[in-house]
Amino acid sequence: MAFQIMLNFFIAFLWMFLSVSFNASTFIVGFLLGMLMLWIMKGFFPGRFYMNRVWAVIKLIILFLKELIMANIQVLVLIIQPKMPIKPAIFALPIVLEKDWEITLLASLITLTPGTLVIDVSEDSKILYIHALHYDDADEAIDSIKNTFEKAIQEVSR
Amino acid sequence: MITIIANILIVSSIVFGVIFILVTAIGLIRLPDVYSRTHAASKSATLGVMFILLGVFLHFWLIEGHINTRILLGIVFLFITGPVGGHVIGRSAYLSGVKLWDKSVKDELAPVVAERRKKHEQRNA
């Protein structure tokens, strides 16, 4: 992936040298041309075409912003009720992610989504212990995290 | 026309931010134990400050015509450090033995921590 990006930059610089104009718009044209070339030759590289991964990152960011705002509104509704019907609990979430940066990213995303706070990671880093503010059903909470964040992170790192 | 749209964007993002910070303050007073307070403190506040900074950025960009990238960097840094702070406060509270609220439904971490502590003592003995 890093190699493909390097190659794309190289092609863009080559384009600037070919057209003897050194400014940003020529660079962008060269970069787009390089992207096209890399897409045509994607069969020769190990791994996926790198724009797929960039697109997955953008989708992850959009998904995260959506979840963040929805969940904040939920917490607002919980907190301003007079009786405040919260049921806190700590539950275990088994994860399939393996690399350290993926687990860190997942933990940060879970923590920033209101209603859930990562308290601890088990020593073999296969389980996250999460404190939930309003806990109805373990399966439901686990499912929602698995289907949203974990899937999106897997999509990025695949 | 563009100024009106810009002003609507700016005002709505700052108002959102202030509402989230207000929620944080109410949550800090009303919630029962340290963990649920950490919920309120670590993220509604982060989101609120992020929205306010975004409003400031938009104001200086769209009205004054001046792009200040430091504000964007501030948003990114808040975004990275906010959840880590919340996690560390929660974890250190748990490991130093702060009790959960007595109406908490479930605690799946307690046996794990007890096990870990026992192993640690065996290693030291």
Side-chain angles (χ1 to χ4, degrees):
Chain A
M1 153 136 179
F3 173 70
Q4 288 183 32
I5 293 175
M6 282 287 295
L7 205 56
N8 204 343
F9 270 95
F10 179 71
I11 293 170
F13 279 115
L14 206 64
W15 180 255
M16 289 203 314
F17 276 78
L18 272 179
S19 48
V20 206
S21 79
F22 301 96
N23 50 36
S25 59
T26 320
F27 180 82
I28 292 170
V29 171
F31 199 84
L32 291 177
L33 281 175
M35 205 182 281
L36 186 69
M37 287 181 209
L38 287 177
W39 182 71
I40 291 171
M41 303 201 185
K42 65 179 182 236
F44 294 98
F45 299 110
R48 294 185 302 161
F49 179 49
Y50 81 94
M51 282 311 284
N52 287 353
R53 197 175 288 195
V54 174
W55 178 235
V57 171
I58 293 172
K59 270 201 295 197
L60 177 65
I61 293 172
I62 291 172
L63 167 87
F64 173 64
L65 287 178
K66 198 190 86 194
E67 290 279 319
L68 183 63
I69 291 171
M70 293 304 292
N72 256 305
I73 292 168
Q74 273 175 20
V75 167
L76 191 152
V77 171
L78 275 182
I79 283 178
I80 57 175
Q81 283 173 28
K83 292 181 74 178
M84 208 166 48
I86 62 170
K87 278 186 278 177
I90 293 180
F91 66 95
L93 173 80
I95 49 176
V96 294
L97 300 176
E98 276 165 4
K99 298 191 196 97
D100 280 346
W101 67 267
E102 292 170 345
I103 297 171
T104 314
L105 185 62
L106 182 67
S108 295
L109 294 187
I110 290 172
T111 302
L112 258 185
T113 319
T116 47
L117 176 81
V118 176
I119 297 281
D120 205 355
V121 185
S122 72
E123 273 167 349
D124 55 358
S125 51
K126 293 233 163 52
I127 301 172
L128 291 184
Y129 294 96
I130 298 176
H131 182 267
L133 194 58
H134 188 62
Y135 179 85
D136 277 327
D137 184 19
D139 296 335
E140 201 183 310
I142 289 172
D143 269 2
S144 71
I145 290 173
K146 273 214 179 293
N147 284 332
T148 55
F149 293 140
E150 203 172 17
K151 227 184 201 170
I153 291 175
Q154 272 176 314
E155 193 68 26
V156 171
S157 67
R158 189 159 56 93
Chain B
M1 187 62 204
I2 291 178
T3 326
I4 296 174
I5 297 176
N7 274 326
I8 291 173
L9 263 179
I10 295 163
V11 169
S12 57
S13 68
I14 290 185
V15 165
F16 261 126
V18 171
I19 289 175
F20 284 131
I21 289 182
L22 183 69
V23 168
T24 306
I26 298 173
L28 275 181
I29 297 171
R30 291 200 63 199
L31 287 167
D33 66 349
V34 61
Y35 305 101
S36 33
R37 281 184 185 148
T38 314
H39 278 280
S42 69
K43 44 215 152 185
S44 298
T46 314
L47 190 67
V49 177
M50 271 165 56
F51 264 112
I52 290 176
L53 283 180
L54 187 69
V56 173
F57 175 74
L58 286 177
H59 173 79
F60 278 100
W61 180 29
L62 298 173
I63 308 290
E64 317 264 327
H66 169 73
I67 297 185
N68 192 340
T69 46
R70 267 181 230 167
I71 300 180
L72 291 182
L73 277 184
I75 293 178
V76 172
F77 286 154
L78 264 180
F79 198 70
I80 297 171
T81 51
V84 177
H87 163 70
V88 170
I89 293 172
R91 186 167 193 268
S92 51
Y94 197 92
L95 293 184
S96 53
V98 178
K99 292 250 177 346
L100 288 166
W101 189 35
D102 46 353
K103 280 187 198 150
S104 296
V105 191
K106 188 153 107 175
D107 186 0
E108 288 182 347
L109 183 56
V112 180
V113 168
E115 179 79 14
R116 216 180 276 170
R117 197 159 283 160
K118 213 164 69 185
K119 238 191 270 172
H120 187 72
E121 271 162 22
Q122 273 173 1
R123 215 179 302 148
N124 283 358

